[in-house]
Amino acid sequence: MPPLLSIENLVTSYGGVRAVDDVSLAVDKQARLGIVGESGCGKTTVALSVLRLVSPGRIDSGRILLQDRDLLGLTEREMCAVRGQRISMVFQEPMSSLNPVHTIGAQVTEALTIHKKMSRRAARERAVAMLERVGMPSAGSRFDAWPHQLSGGMRQRVMIAMALICEPEVLLADEPTTALDVTIQAQILELLGGIQEQTGTAIVLITHDLAVLADFAQRVVVMYAGQIVEEAPVGALFASPAHPYARALLDSLPAGPSAAEGGRLPTIPGRVPDLRALPVGCRFQERCSFADETCRTQMPQLESIASDRRVRCFHPLRSAS
Ligand SMILES: Nc1ncnc2c1ncn2[C@@H]1O[C@H](COP(=O)(O)OP(=O)(O)O)[C@@H](O)[C@H]1O
Ligand SMILES: [Mg+2]
């Protein structure tokens, strides 16, 4: 079966600096795909590119196919019909995405009255049902509440309700739980998982925290400095990461091997290189203990190491099995 959404050789830049550099990935129907990487690796730019909302950046090249249609070839009007209806997005900061001067009901129903030409009354019924579904207690009375009257977790539930109200085929969830405390985080992830199972909406969950993907994703794409460095089924990635960066992300998890040994590595030493001054060769070389002359002179390509795994490394780690 062809993928629902496929991104092919996407290059997106801000002021001529490539934030996403030749990214290709596929989202299958009903999939739960994770995209992980530290801040600044280009994750949000990938998602915004899919919706063609990268301004002030620009998409330089590539294709973004939703089934057979290249979204990059659509008119702005056609693109408006894709956004929210076929592909929708949830952002990290629910407060900045909700409009403070409109009630949550008005915001959740807006897409229905615009895209689906529903009557206010039918839209209200549908919206209340959706708010219930995303776990909003007394959804009927909360319909007329203002964003500032809700907690962060409840606002994020409203954002998810808005994103799902038109039953999109793909939901891009960009750090949807990062601003929330751990308990609420777990509830929102469970909610997203349940929605994926019940509705079949494919979910792309973007996060800097690999731990978030352990129980959620089926496949994981690891990004570093604008490139994909590894892609693997979630179990394989956790059991035996092939790229040293994926390994470092795993080791920095609180329950990772280093924590078990008594050490604590909350972050990976060093930092993501400046995209305006990238080193020649592998972008991870400065933080990698395996880097050698080859890594400092040549760019490793993203290559298949199994039917369902890709890695961009001259010295991939051996499988633990
Ligand atoms: N509006 C913008 N203007 C200029 N540079 C940007 C803009 N948005 C993102 N970038 C740059 O693009 C790169 C990727 O950013 P982003 O896609 O937000 O990464 P991530 O979501 O992984 O943190 C970063 O270097 C960031 O500074
Ligand atoms: Mg981001």
Side-chain angles (χ1 to χ4, degrees):
M1 209 168 44
L4 175 59
L5 176 71
S6 48
I7 299 175
E8 297 178 356
N9 307 109
L10 178 69
V11 177
T12 303
S13 58
Y14 297 97
V17 178
R18 290 182 172 195
V20 171
D21 195 355
D22 196 20
V23 161
S24 298
L25 61 88
V27 182
D28 290 326
K29 269 193 185 134
Q30 314 201 344
R32 297 185 192 194
L33 177 73
I35 301 181
V36 69
E38 287 161 288
S39 177
C41 284
K43 307 178 301 294
T44 296
T45 304
V46 168
L48 292 175
S49 298
V50 170
L51 291 172
R52 284 180 36 191
L53 294 174
V54 291
S55 159
R58 56 167 283 180
I59 297 171
D60 297 316
S61 56
R63 299 204 299 169
I64 297 174
L65 302 173
L66 180 61
Q67 284 166 329
D68 297 333
R69 295 189 81 189
D70 186 357
L71 300 182
L72 301 184
L74 300 187
T75 62
E76 183 52 32
R77 192 192 169 95
E78 288 169 326
M79 199 58 216
C80 278
V82 170
R83 288 187 204 115
Q85 293 214 79
R86 299 195 61 192
I87 306 176
S88 61
M89 187 156 169
V90 177
F91 299 88
Q92 175 175 335
E93 290 296 337
M95 202 54 203
S96 52
S97 321
L98 280 174
N99 189 329
V101 304
H102 292 295
T103 62
I104 63 162
Q107 297 182 65
V108 178
T109 51
E110 187 182 9
L112 293 175
T113 45
I114 293 176
H115 290 307
K116 306 268 183 202
K117 311 262 185 285
M118 264 191 194
S119 70
R120 276 171 161 261
R121 188 183 169 144
R124 181 179 179 120
E125 264 172 36
R126 175 100 159 252
V128 170
M130 182 55 80
L131 287 169
E132 273 166 3
R133 182 167 201 171
V134 299
M136 172 79 67
S138 16
S141 54
R142 290 282 171 76
F143 189 89
D144 297 309
W146 303 93
H148 73 264
Q149 295 174 308
L150 303 181
S151 67
M154 283 302 151
R155 288 197 289 259
Q156 195 56 291
R157 287 176 198 268
V158 173
M159 293 307 303
I160 293 168
M162 282 169 68
L164 293 173
I165 196 86
C166 291
E167 301 174 334
E169 290 143 274
V170 186
L171 174 67
L172 305 170
D174 188 7
E175 311 258 9
T177 62
T178 301
L180 307 174
D181 74 48
V182 182
T183 319
I184 310 293
Q185 213 177 63
Q187 290 172 6
I188 298 284
L189 288 173
E190 203 176 304
L191 168 67
L192 288 174
I195 282 165
Q196 189 282 323
E197 271 164 25
Q198 291 157 23
T199 64
T201 295
I203 298 185
V204 179
L205 180 59
I206 295 174
T207 178
H208 66 279
D209 181 1
L210 191 51
V212 161
L213 300 179
D215 295 323
F216 182 87
Q218 296 151 336
R219 301 181 59 71
V220 176
V221 166
V222 182
M223 286 190 70
Y224 190 75
Q227 298 176 319
I228 294 178
V229 295
E230 181 160 2
E231 177 178 0
V234 70
L237 188 81
F238 276 78
S240 59
H243 197 286
Y245 179 58
R247 177 66 207 244
L249 285 176
L250 264 178
D251 284 353
S252 68
L253 299 180
S258 31
E261 285 156 19
R264 222 176 138 252
L265 280 178
T267 53
I268 305 168
R271 50 189 302 183
V272 182
D274 183 344
L275 296 172
R276 288 162 302 187
L278 289 168
V280 174
C282 176
R283 295 181 181 178
F284 188 60
Q285 60 180 277
E286 280 155 16
R287 304 168 81 183
C288 183
S289 51
F290 305 98
D292 62 12
E293 197 49 28
T294 310
C295 310
R296 288 184 208 101
T297 50
Q298 291 172 51
M299 169 71 78
Q301 300 302 307
L302 189 59
E303 282 170 15
S304 296
I305 53 167
S307 62
D308 54 2
R309 278 191 95 161
R310 298 187 291 167
V311 62
R312 185 190 291 277
C313 181
F314 290 119
H315 311 294
L317 303 167
R318 291 194 182 276
S319 150
S321 56

